[in-house]
Amino acid sequence: MDELNPPAAPDVNPELTIDQLDDGIQHVNNPIVGLTAIEKKYLTKIVEYSQNNNNFYFSDGVAKVEVRVVSDEIIRIRLAPHGAFLEEFSYAVPENTKRVTVFSFREDEKNYRVSTNTVTCIIDKETCLISFADNQDVIINQDQAPMHWEENSDFGGYYVYATKKASAEESFFGLGDKTANFNLRGKRLVNWNSDTYSFAKDQDPLYRSIPFYIGLSDETAYGIFFDNTFKSYFDFAHEDNGKTSFWADGGELQYYYIHGPKMMDVVKRYHSLTGTHPMPPLWALGFHQCRWSYYPESKIKDLARNFRERKIPCDAIYLDIDYMDGYRCFTWNKKYFPDPKRMVKELADDGFRTVVIIDPGIKVDDNYWVFREGKEKKYFCRRCDDYFMEGYVWPGRCQFPDFTNPEVRDWWGTLFEGLVDAGVAGVWNDMNEPAVFGSGTFPVDVRHNFDGHRGSHRKAHNVYGMQMVRATYNGLKKLYKNKRPFTITRAGYSGVQRYSSVWTGDNVASWEHLKLGSVQLQRLSVSGISFCGTDIGGFSGEPDAELFTRWIQFGVFSPFMRAHSAGDTREREPWSFGEVYEAINRKFIELRYRLLPYIYSAFWEHHKYGFPILRPVVMLEQEDKTNHYRENEFTFGDKILVAPVTEPGIQQMVVYLPKGKWYDYWTHELIEGGREITVATPLDSLPIFVKAGSVIPESPLMQYVNEFEVDEFMFQVYYSDYEVRSFYYEDHGDTFAYEQDIYMEKKFLVNGDATSMTIKQSIEGLFTPRYETYDLKIISLPFTPSRVIIDNRDYTGSLEVDDLHRIRIQASKNFRNIQILA
Ligand code: GLC
């Protein structure tokens, strides 16, 4: 069949709307089932158009296309094969409000054009091909074929397809936690949340579904977010070098075109649709120790004692499934943990938070209150013929709450009362793909409420885990009153970042997996999920000492830092490999704690402004084609560049530094970027570089967050001979007062020349930290300082230069201007 001239569509009523249909029916089926062979149908010549405010409709007589102006830079496209759009509903995009007032519509001989100040969506009248252009009329993205669909005779509805042109030079990024190379060109990938124990490189699909990608061609980036929860597929010039396609097994062909031109703009705008992580409690950014399974209580106590005696900082200890009574969620194994409340309190007194695991499978057991309640209230999922969805997981035969039902989510949230009362500080949501032993997951005929938009598991599968952790997060939020919950989840869909951190699941203790972990976290970060981490050390298999240490080093620069391992492996704590390694592991975990104020500030920039926390090099210099293939180095926040060591036994490695000036973190050597350099990599070091001109806040060393109150706050200030801005954020660290604007943002401006350096500070916000002074370490002045003026007054302290070429200045926390003169 000629793709651009498909046969005419059958004659049906194109004006059918949802209101005219039977109550509650949302789908319009193709009425010609059984009459002709099923084949793909394509949009054809447009015969009419209409406008309703910021929505524009184009019809080929049967099918309809909606073009919605969402914002200056975002346009949404929807397709209704038979003219009736589905009711507006999305788990990913909570508020689909109009954020633009200026837009226009124009028609010429060949096209319709819907424009904002930044983007034009061009609809070809003859073919219904859609393209997006910038305000210079340069085409950024265009259809290769008109949107198309094919009737799904097994389930009703349609397989829906979009096919775009891929330019020869185009690179592709995003899609969440895929284990493919960072640049996805040449790959075909699937989104279907899957429990993938010991997954392999290039294995697909994995635990999460993030149907969002970034295209980058001719130095210009754009994003496509295909908001469809069914099993979806992406082909990035794999089948045909000139095409990129995405399609799904059902639902609506609905996607957002997100304008760049920078990758950073695309990611920020994707966040504006799907949200960012709420601020975590500060302790959640510390080091977490986990293992399947630490029990009984004496073991936990021993673990805690070891951390404190060995002076290795740690903020959280995890309880895996064995803390429960027969793996029944919300219960305790009283043999292992006779008095949980006391134990959790004693741990808390020693600075440890307790995080517990929860699974969605509820044991079928009439003597178990959670099962009884769920059964009485009819909260468990059912099959198409009304049988309960039953499957085996840890506790044996289980039923599963329908988390897509808001009432079930509320109920689930209340179940945490006992755990919260026992003092539990965080909840780890596992097995929520959902995972079922044997069959892998639910059969697709399982029915779901889907927040009133009814559907089978085909539609709900990919959001099940996200709705579970949403229920957990919101439940904890209510129970903790004004304290911030900490949650972690394995499964998720776009927008899961509004409720939880994520980890990459059951990885393997191998060098390949350490490298994969770095790619996965960078990819998650550009896909909206900044608060992410890997199982440090690898979940299955046995790391040797070197691998474990290199993983701890990478973990320092993972937004979420947790060591975890399977129960059938040898125990591996930071001290498990002997003194030499213990010392290095300690040094790096200490580095994490020193950097906490910096990491917290990067988190705020993520939360408030939509910046990812990890930034791959291509995001910093997308115009350089070589960078499209770099996947080793990344920046952590915007000031620190890291290159994790992911190979055994290497003494040196090549690291690319983006343009500008950088300091070696360890030696303070000044290095000109925009090139590759060779860096020595002894085991007790890691390539870390700081941008010239940075002001990096540093915490005094603590064994856990808030171990003691600081009376002086430290900053490392790196000299620069051009102007550089830095940022520092402070708040209470564990309340929601920041939502009432109780926080402080500090901005620093550093500049220098051959004989002077200035540091300016501006402060905004309502939060008042308790300390009064700053301890500023000025690094690498190119001159010998003879005079320092702080807010027009001569500084009287010592200006001695230490062996790392630093001088130390103590200043009031409210200083405005510091001048250092030769
Ligand atoms: C799953 C999780 C793993 C956990 C285990 C036991 O495999 O991915 O992290 O330790 O279940 O609960």
Side-chain angles (χ1 to χ4, degrees), residues 52 74 92 252 279 392 421 632 733:
N52 177 8
I74 304 175
E252 203 167 49
M279 285 306 281
Y392 281 84
D421 182 58
N632 194 29

Side-chain angles (χ1 to χ4, degrees), residues 82-286:
H82 284 275
F85 292 97
L86 301 187
E87 219 176 299
E88 280 283 352
F89 177 71
S90 167
Y91 282 118
V93 182
E95 282 168 50
N96 215 326
T97 45
K98 180 169 75 124
R99 301 170 222 178
V100 62
T101 44
V102 182
F103 50 87
S104 64
F105 179 76
R106 210 150 50 84
E107 181 184 354
D108 58 30
E109 224 167 277
K110 196 171 170 329
N111 299 309
Y112 298 107
R113 299 166 68 90
V114 176
S115 303
T116 71
N117 287 329
T118 322
V119 200
T120 298
C121 174
I122 305 161
I123 302 101
D124 185 292
K125 289 179 168 177
E126 203 51 42
T127 59
C128 208
L129 288 166
I130 294 179
S131 34
F132 299 93
D134 66 12
N135 54 14
Q136 308 298 309
D137 240 10
V138 176
I139 302 284
I140 311 291
N141 175 266
Q142 56 185 316
D143 281 348
Q144 196 275 344
M147 292 192 279
H148 44 293
W149 63 94
E150 182 184 325
E151 191 184 356
N152 183 334
S153 56
D154 289 338
F155 295 98
Y158 306 89
Y159 299 97
V160 289
Y161 305 84
T163 301
K164 306 266 172 194
K165 280 189 184 163
S167 74
E169 289 297 296
E170 196 159 354
S171 295
F172 300 93
F173 306 97
L175 279 205
D177 66 341
K178 305 295 184 191
T179 50
N181 292 343
F182 190 62
N183 185 341
L184 296 171
R185 189 177 180 102
K187 299 284 175 203
R188 174 178 283 201
L189 297 150
V190 183
N191 288 317
W192 184 252
N193 294 357
S194 305
D195 174 13
T196 43
Y197 168 79
S198 292
F199 56 86
K201 174 152 176 24
D202 284 318
Q203 183 173 330
D204 185 55
L206 299 176
Y207 302 91
R208 274 168 287 281
S209 296
I210 314 293
F212 160 64
Y213 72 87
I214 302 163
L216 174 55
S217 183
D218 294 332
E219 303 185 12
T220 301
Y222 66 90
I224 297 284
F225 172 40
F226 180 28
D227 190 6
N228 182 309
T229 63
F230 284 75
K231 185 182 273 185
S232 59
Y233 308 79
F234 287 79
D235 184 305
F236 298 109
H238 164 87
E239 184 182 295
D240 178 329
N241 204 22
K243 288 189 202 168
T244 288
S245 303
F246 50 93
W247 65 100
D249 282 357
E252 203 167 49
L253 181 48
Q254 169 181 157
Y255 72 89
Y256 293 82
Y257 166 81
I258 305 174
H259 197 63
K262 295 282 179 212
M263 274 179 83
M264 186 64 89
D265 302 325
V266 177
V267 172
K268 286 176 71 173
R269 286 166 193 156
Y270 170 74
H271 275 129
S272 77
L273 287 172
T274 61
T276 59
H277 291 273
M279 285 306 281
L282 184 53
W283 65 264
L285 298 178

Side-chain angles (χ1 to χ4, degrees), residues 605-737:
E605 286 186 289
H606 165 75
H607 166 74
K608 176 91 172 167
Y609 306 107
F611 288 98
I613 297 179
L614 292 192
R615 304 171 191 185
V617 166
V618 61
M619 191 167 225
L620 310 173
E621 290 179 345
Q622 66 188 43
E623 54 290 344
D624 181 347
K625 184 81 190 166
T626 324
N627 290 341
H628 296 204
Y629 297 92
R630 291 191 199 277
E631 50 184 37
N632 194 29
E633 336 35 24
F634 55 81
T635 68
F636 184 59
D638 73 329
K639 296 285 186 273
I640 299 180
L641 182 131
V642 183
V645 178
T646 57
E647 279 174 60
I650 57 166
Q651 299 306 314
Q652 56 181 47
M653 66 188 268
V654 172
V655 175
Y656 174 74
L657 290 180
K659 291 183 194 78
K661 290 180 180 166
W662 297 84
Y663 287 96
D664 181 305
Y665 176 79
W666 307 103
T667 62
H668 296 165
E669 182 196 346
L670 184 62
I671 305 163
E672 191 63 48
R675 66 196 174 108
E676 290 181 341
I677 57 166
T678 301
V679 190
T681 53
L683 189 61
D684 66 349
S685 187
L686 182 77
I688 306 172
F689 301 89
V690 182
K691 267 189 192 165
S694 299
V695 177
I696 308 278
E698 258 197 41
S699 164
L701 182 60
M702 299 195 190
Q703 295 305 305
Y704 53 92
V705 163
N706 290 338
E707 184 187 10
F708 52 86
E709 203 162 301
V710 287
D711 45 19
E712 198 176 56
F713 206 84
M714 210 221 291
F715 292 90
Q716 307 270 7
V717 186
Y718 292 81
Y719 170 84
S720 160
D721 59 5
Y722 48 90
E723 194 173 87
V724 176
R725 281 168 198 279
S726 295
F727 174 85
Y728 173 51
Y729 171 82
E730 278 175 298
D731 69 7
H732 287 107
D734 65 351
T735 72
F736 282 95

Side-chain angles (χ1 to χ4, degrees), residues 413-595:
T414 63
L415 300 177
F416 291 94
E417 199 180 339
L419 291 171
V420 168
D421 182 58
V424 162
V427 175
W428 170 20
N429 296 252
D430 191 20
M431 305 292 274
N432 52 353
E433 292 70 33
V436 176
F437 294 160
S439 57
T441 190
F442 294 0
V444 292
D445 71 288
V446 168
R447 291 144 35 187
H448 293 272
N449 176 288
F450 217 88
D451 280 67
H453 302 264
R454 296 198 299 249
S456 75
H457 198 62
R458 296 169 66 239
K459 176 159 113 177
H461 175 82
N462 284 339
V463 296
Y464 186 84
M466 171 187 184
Q467 297 313 303
M468 173 187 175
V469 76
R470 173 187 186 180
T472 304
Y473 182 84
N474 287 337
L476 292 176
K477 196 170 171 184
K478 275 192 200 139
L479 292 164
Y480 288 147
K481 309 278 181 331
N482 192 31
K483 287 252 186 288
R484 299 176 200 167
F486 169 67
T487 44
I488 153 169
T489 180
R490 199 169 68 174
Y493 178 73
S494 293
V496 67
Q497 67 271 12
R498 299 195 302 274
Y499 313 111
S500 187
S501 66
V502 306
W503 93 106
T504 56
D506 297 344
N507 60 359
V508 181
S510 70
W511 290 94
E512 185 186 44
H513 262 267
L514 173 55
K515 199 179 169 83
L516 272 183
S518 164
V519 173
Q520 284 184 290
L521 298 196
Q522 292 179 62
R523 203 192 318 278
L524 281 165
S525 296
V526 303
S527 309
I529 301 180
S530 263
F531 198 10
C532 54
T534 61
D535 281 353
I536 292 173
F539 180 71
S540 62
E542 303 288 351
D544 63 14
E546 184 189 0
L547 175 59
F548 187 80
T549 289
R550 289 303 193 191
W551 217 315
I552 287 271
Q553 293 172 345
F554 167 58
V556 172
F557 300 97
S558 302
F560 172 56
M561 184 184 188
R562 183 184 75 154
H564 182 40
S565 50
D568 57 359
T569 60
R570 279 199 295 279
E571 293 203 353
R572 56 184 85 138
E573 285 82 36
W575 53 85
S576 302
F577 299 93
E579 269 173 37
V580 172
Y581 295 96
E582 179 179 340
I584 304 173
N585 296 341
R586 177 187 300 107
K587 167 175 155 180
F588 275 88
I589 297 174
E590 286 179 357
L591 174 59
R592 171 80 177 198
Y593 277 76
R594 288 189 203 284
L595 288 176

